[in-house]
Amino acid sequence: MVAVSDPVLRPAYPVRTERLLLRPLTGKDVDALLAYRSIPEVCRYVPFHPMTREVIHDRLATQWANTELTDEGQHLTLGIEVAATGELIGDVILFWHSRLHGTGEIGYVVHPDHGGHGYVTEAAREMLRLGFEELRLHRVIARIDERNEPSARLARRLGMRQEARLVRNEWFKGEWSTELDFAMLADEWFANR
Ligand SMILES: CC(C)(COP(=O)(O)OP(=O)(O)OC[C@H]1O[C@@H](n2cnc3c(N)ncnc32)[C@H](O)[C@@H]1OP(=O)(O)O)[C@@H](O)C(=O)NCCC(=O)NCCS
């Protein structure tokens, strides 16, 4: 019998896509991160609030310092760098929720000046690839406020299916949020690769 090793995600950095480099965030990225993570409109439908330089430094030393996924409950945030210019324009995240169920979740954010070029779609697609092909996840979800139409379009563009609409599901930043749940299964990923 062939032993199957435990899944882990340990990418060789930078992870290269057609136009991008995905890589861990560092202290050199503080100004670039501040440029979009401090904008209120960017933060409207994401769990974090507009960030200060201090918050960014703190994240870099804690949550964003992780460069691999070795167990459930962890998450990996990677910066999105445009290969042609070296500019950091956004970031993507992959959560590993459950080892038993093989479940994960993606999230993404981009500087408004760099939206509309498909960069995030390209980066998020690579995170799905890492999740399905390297971490061997079974199912990856995206949870999106219904009013966040660019994000829902992005999930659909990735080939994720809308599975649910949870009406006024969450008390979020002072108001009820209706949540759209998107998902993709490993079978679907490999069928459409
Ligand atoms: C959600 C968010 C990342 C989407 O950004 P985006 O710029 O639309 O995403 P992309 O970089 O993938 O660009 C896709 C857009 O560029 C267009 N585009 C241009 N060239 C493209 C290409 N080569 N490939 C794909 N799309 C391309 C697409 O048509 C699309 O525009 P459309 O939605 O008007 O049709 C962005 O709005 C954001 O950061 N919002 C704030 C944070 C947030 O809410 N995150 C999600 C929480 S659930």
Side-chain angles (χ1 to χ4, degrees):
M1 200 169 93
V2 180
V4 178
S5 58
D6 279 344
V8 290
L9 177 58
R10 235 174 233 131
Y13 295 115
V15 175
R16 291 172 192 276
T17 66
E18 193 185 336
R19 297 175 293 173
L20 306 171
L21 305 179
L22 304 183
R23 49 136 183 107
L25 297 164
T26 75
K28 292 182 185 152
D29 299 317
V30 172
D31 288 341
L33 287 161
L34 192 63
Y36 61 92
R37 281 183 165 257
S38 64
I39 301 174
E41 299 79 65
V42 168
C43 304
R44 181 159 180 215
Y45 300 119
V46 293
F48 58 86
H49 293 275
M51 290 184 172
T52 60
R53 189 171 289 274
E54 290 66 38
V55 170
I56 286 172
H57 275 291
D58 179 65
R59 291 277 179 111
L60 284 167
T62 54
Q63 299 171 31
W64 297 341
N66 193 25
T67 60
E68 56 185 33
L69 293 178
T70 57
D71 206 353
E72 63 183 5
Q74 299 176 345
H75 49 82
L76 176 66
T77 299
L78 298 180
I80 305 173
E81 185 180 313
V82 178
T85 63
E87 265 182 295
L88 184 97
I89 55 119
D91 53 87
V92 273
I93 187 166
L94 176 66
F95 297 87
W96 185 3
H97 286 321
S98 165
R99 180 185 290 275
L100 175 66
H101 305 299
T103 49
E105 179 172 351
I106 55 166
Y108 32 74
V109 54
V110 70
H111 191 302
D113 289 355
H114 296 279
H117 298 286
Y119 289 141
V120 189
T121 305
E122 190 172 319
R125 189 171 283 129
E126 183 61 17
M127 294 306 263
L128 289 176
R129 190 193 71 74
L130 293 172
F132 288 125
E133 299 188 16
E134 299 198 16
L135 194 55
R136 308 204 303 263
L137 292 176
H138 160 68
R139 174 181 161 86
V140 177
I141 63 165
R143 293 180 296 147
I144 298 172
D145 187 299
E146 180 173 60
R147 295 165 295 179
N148 195 352
E149 292 175 7
S151 183
R153 284 201 297 275
L154 200 158
R156 291 194 178 95
R157 197 177 306 115
L158 289 169
M160 301 182 89
R161 280 174 293 101
Q162 187 185 321
E163 292 189 331
R165 176 173 181 267
L166 309 180
V167 179
R168 298 189 184 184
N169 175 55
E170 210 172 272
W171 183 250
F172 186 74
K173 298 188 175 177
E175 55 185 351
W176 288 112
S177 163
T178 290
E179 175 182 316
L180 302 183
D181 289 346
F182 288 85
M184 183 185 284
L185 297 171
D187 288 353
E188 295 167 321
W189 170 262
F190 285 106
N192 295 312
R193 198 162 44 145

